[in-house]
Amino acid sequence: MKGRMENELGTISIDTDVIATYAGSVAVECFGIVGMAAISMKDGLVKLLKRDSLKHGINVNVSEDNKISLNFHVIVSYGVSISAVAENLISNVKYRVEEFTGMEIDKINIFVEGVRTID
């Protein structure tokens, strides 16, 4: 379902891919996040996504009452506090996506799929 807003001039519809791409760009700017992850269902391997395919590591759902739920699959830096990185990611994404879309974030789930050293 697409996000939607109505005003006196008409309806604004926001595709979930737009929300996912923006949320992914915000996420990779956060300290401790190496990148988004893609999981191969065939063999269970986790792969670090390139910057041009950030939306593939994020699932976006828009509820009937027009609230956004985000699921992030991320790879974090080795040696950082996962809880601190997650809290930073949640606060940054919540603020910036709400400002960008004008919609409310209902839930953000973070799935840490791997740990990598920064080159």
Side-chain angles (χ1 to χ4, degrees), residues 72 75 84:
F72 285 88
I75 297 175

Side-chain angles (χ1 to χ4, degrees), residues 37-53:
I39 303 167
S40 170
M41 293 307 211
K42 186 173 105 181
D43 51 13
L45 294 176
V46 174
K47 172 174 108 172
L48 179 64
L49 294 172
K50 296 180 181 167
R51 277 185 91 49
D52 59 344
S53 57

Side-chain angles (χ1 to χ4, degrees), residues 69-88:
S69 295
L70 298 167
N71 292 329
F72 285 88
H73 297 271
V74 297
I75 297 175
V76 298
S77 300
Y78 178 80
V80 299
S81 167
I82 291 175
S83 63
V85 169
E87 287 175 19
N88 183 34

